[in-house]
Amino acid sequence: MTQKNKINEYLFLGRFGIEKESLRVNEKGFLSHTEHPFTDILNIDRDFCENQIEIITDAFGSVDEAYEQLSQFHNIAVKRLYSLKSGKEYIWNFSNPPYVRGEQDVPIAKFDGKLKGKELYREYLASKYGKMKMLFSGIHFNFSFADEYLELLYKESDDESYRTFKDKFYLNLAKNAVRYSWLIVHLTAASPLFDGSFIKEEDLGKDIYSKYASARCSEIGYWNDFVPILNYENLHEYVNSIKEYIESGQLKTSAELYYPVRLKPKGKNTLEALEENGINHIELRTIDLNPLSDIGFKKEDALFLHYLLVYLSILEDMKFEDSEQVKAIKNVQKAALYDDSKILIETGWNKSENVRDISLKILNEIEKFYLEVGNEKAVEIIRYQKNKVINVQERYAVKVRDLFKNEYVKNGCDLAEKYAKTR
């Protein structure tokens, strides 16, 4: 077998993990105030508040396996909530929250002993950003390439060590993933509706047809109060560029870096571990919960994220200037808008293209790549994504607005009950 054939054999192998945040609600669409009912299941934790759960899968060798475990834990959670003695509860399958009775309705997650710092950190976030923004929920997709693949690439490189090559590989991948994060948002945005109580408590029950397709990825969503500029020259400089924001007081910890992409070490996620042990995997963070799926995440989108990362990994290594990093974040926020006929994505110096046109152009390039390598499944998934761009009625945000307009929360609860009864 030739070196090229070996590389192609390992190209699609890797490790996959999925994290899914969701709010717990009662039958009437209000946030639950019961204690976290999953203390016996390590894979179901709390996120910011007591009534926001996070399902965290193990790492698997395929998207299918990670997705299957996500589905299993989701089903366990749905069944347990539906049969609580204190009254039925549901998993809220939307990124935007249901009825909210002000910030007092959002109890910060409680931790004891050695974990007390997690609670104190959440109190810090609440004071800095407000509790309401913390109710936004979504999907994080984690992926690492197979070592067999990276080792083959390393042998063809000029790098002095495998560790140096691997870190450089993931830094380059991260740059490209940030550049293309707007595409992920455009294709997965699914939160065009609000209840009025998210804006003003007295507007509880009033449907808000926002200008956003994805509120959490928009200008009003999960962002720092500055645009982080990171140094992708090497891992040491990358870590230092984050540490500078911490030392200046702009960030409390690296976890406060609200950014479309994160690079993570194996094990404990700290900057010290990242620098000492190197980059283990990449995390994509701009995926909305999708109520059109019974578990809030379509497998077609999980597969697309994998195929997108593979494609981005083979693109030429290019510098990521400060101005380009700012532009990349602006593009994400633009892609989060609802009316995609008016969204202009900045593609160069004083150059912009309509989001539909540039999305289709990029997806065609990705499709061509997978046709050339003979991956029929990838071609099928890329065409699924293209259909959302070509047929505007197939966009998730458009479908969600149409299905859940006129009593967004009531219709959302009806959907949650329907999903619960099928478990």
Side-chain angles (χ1 to χ4, degrees):
M1 184 181 290
T2 66
Q3 181 83 345
K4 182 178 180 181
N5 287 338
K6 285 182 180 178
I7 289 174
N8 287 339
E9 179 186 2
Y10 294 125
L11 176 60
F12 297 103
L13 300 182
R15 304 291 288 172
F16 304 82
I18 303 170
E19 302 164 40
K20 183 172 80 78
E21 306 154 344
S22 306
L23 294 166
R24 292 189 290 121
V25 300
N26 64 25
E27 291 182 275
K28 295 183 179 180
F30 291 93
L31 292 172
S32 166
H33 281 271
T34 59
E35 291 184 3
H36 175 70
F38 304 105
T39 54
D40 59 323
I41 305 177
L42 292 177
N43 294 77
I44 307 180
D45 203 351
R46 288 154 294 171
D47 197 56
F48 173 77
C49 48
E50 278 288 317
N51 42 24
Q52 184 180 41
I53 66 170
E54 182 174 26
I55 298 175
I56 306 166
T57 74
D58 300 318
F60 291 96
S62 70
V63 168
D64 286 344
E65 290 171 295
Y67 190 87
E68 177 60 27
Q69 191 187 59
L70 177 69
S71 180
Q72 289 172 359
F73 281 119
H74 177 88
N75 291 343
I76 289 170
V78 167
K79 289 178 182 177
R80 183 172 296 187
L81 292 176
Y82 196 67
S83 59
L84 286 177
K85 292 181 180 179
S86 55
K88 290 178 185 176
E89 292 184 12
Y90 305 127
I91 288 181
W92 186 247
N93 247 9
F94 298 79
S95 281
N96 295 345
Y99 300 137
V100 187
R101 296 188 177 106
E103 291 210 345
Q104 68 275 11
D105 214 15
V106 189
I108 292 173
K110 300 297 182 183
F111 297 92
D112 298 315
K114 293 180 180 179
L115 299 178
K116 189 65 176 179
K118 296 176 70 172
E119 182 180 335
L120 296 176
Y121 175 63
R122 283 158 173 75
E123 289 176 355
Y124 158 80
L125 294 177
S127 65
K128 183 172 181 178
Y129 298 96
K131 290 182 176 180
M132 301 298 279
K133 187 177 292 189
M134 300 297 155
L135 292 175
F136 285 132
S137 301
I139 303 283
H140 297 168
F141 182 84
N142 297 275
F143 173 64
S144 64
F145 283 87
D147 277 327
E148 295 92 335
Y149 173 69
L150 296 179
E151 286 167 357
L152 287 172
L153 294 183
Y154 163 60
K155 290 175 182 177
E156 295 184 348
S157 76
D158 297 324
D159 292 296
E160 60 184 32
S161 71
Y162 175 62
R163 161 71 190 273
T164 300
F165 168 80
K166 186 177 179 181
D167 289 341
K168 186 189 296 183
F169 176 90
Y170 278 110
L171 285 164
N172 179 48
L173 177 60
K175 287 188 288 186
N176 287 327
V178 174
R179 282 193 181 100
Y180 284 81
S181 287
W182 65 265
L183 178 63
I184 297 172
V185 173
H186 182 56
L187 295 173
T188 62
S191 52
L193 296 168
F194 280 105
D195 182 72
S197 59
F198 182 79
I199 310 298
K200 289 192 299 184
E201 188 178 348
E202 56 267 34
D203 284 341
L204 190 144
K206 177 182 178 182
D207 289 337
I208 303 294
Y209 299 84
S210 76
K211 66 178 182 179
Y212 306 112
S214 172
R216 62 188 285 274
C217 294
S218 76
E219 61 198 3
I220 67 168
Y222 256 124
W223 299 103
N224 302 113
D225 52 11
F226 62 96
V227 177
I229 302 299
L230 305 180
N231 189 331
Y232 292 87
E233 196 65 32
N234 56 57
L235 183 57
H236 177 72
E237 295 300 333
Y238 177 82
V239 169
N240 277 351
S241 63
I242 299 174
K243 283 182 176 178
E244 287 175 5
Y245 288 117
I246 297 172
E247 290 166 0
S248 69
Q250 291 173 277
L251 299 177
K252 185 78 169 178
T253 72
S254 58
E256 195 189 341
L257 184 68
Y258 296 138
Y259 206 64
V261 173
R262 283 182 182 169
L263 293 171
K264 292 188 168 182
K266 189 172 184 178
K268 191 174 183 181
N269 182 30
T270 65
L271 290 178
E272 291 71 26
L274 183 62
E275 186 159 23
E276 181 178 347
N277 302 322
I279 301 168
N280 180 70
H281 63 276
I282 188 169
E283 179 188 52
L284 305 179
R285 301 168 51 81
T286 56
I287 306 102
D288 272 0
L289 290 178
N290 187 347
L292 305 176
S293 160
D294 59 349
I295 69 167
F297 190 31
K298 283 186 173 289
K299 187 186 286 189
E300 292 90 343
D301 295 322
L303 289 165
F304 171 69
L305 296 174
H306 175 213
Y307 296 135
L308 177 64
L309 286 171
V310 169
Y311 173 78
L312 296 180
S313 76
I314 58 99
L315 296 183
E316 182 182 354
D317 186 3
M318 299 175 64
K319 284 192 174 295
F320 201 17
E321 304 291 352
D322 295 2
S323 60
E324 293 178 290
Q325 295 187 43
V326 173
K327 179 174 67 180
I329 299 305
K330 285 182 178 179
N331 282 341
V332 168
Q333 295 176 352
K334 289 177 182 177
L337 294 168
Y338 184 83
D339 187 356
D340 65 352
S341 68
K342 298 178 181 178
I343 298 173
L344 294 177
I345 298 298
E346 295 181 50
T347 57
W349 183 253
N350 288 332
K351 182 182 178 184
S352 298
E353 294 186 56
N354 173 263
V355 69
R356 294 181 192 168
D357 296 336
I358 188 62
S359 294
L360 197 57
K361 188 182 299 183
I362 292 168
L363 289 170
N364 282 335
E365 291 172 359
I366 300 174
E367 181 183 4
K368 181 181 177 183
F369 167 74
Y370 283 111
L371 285 169
E372 289 173 352
V373 300
N375 189 322
E376 294 180 4
K377 181 63 176 178
V379 172
E380 177 188 334
I381 292 299
I382 301 307
R383 289 175 178 170
Y384 173 86
Q385 303 298 333
K386 284 173 60 177
N387 189 44
K388 300 178 199 173
V389 180
I390 296 168
N391 302 305
V392 68
Q393 294 303 315
E394 292 300 314
R395 282 182 71 205
Y396 297 151
V398 173
K399 286 186 172 184
V400 170
R401 179 179 282 196
D402 185 55
L403 285 170
F404 299 98
K405 64 186 178 183
N406 304 324
E407 297 191 287
Y408 155 64
V409 176
K410 180 183 180 303
N411 291 334
C413 285
D414 290 344
L415 177 77
E417 182 171 24
K418 174 186 172 184
Y419 283 158
K421 285 181 175 179
T422 61
R423 290 297 177 268

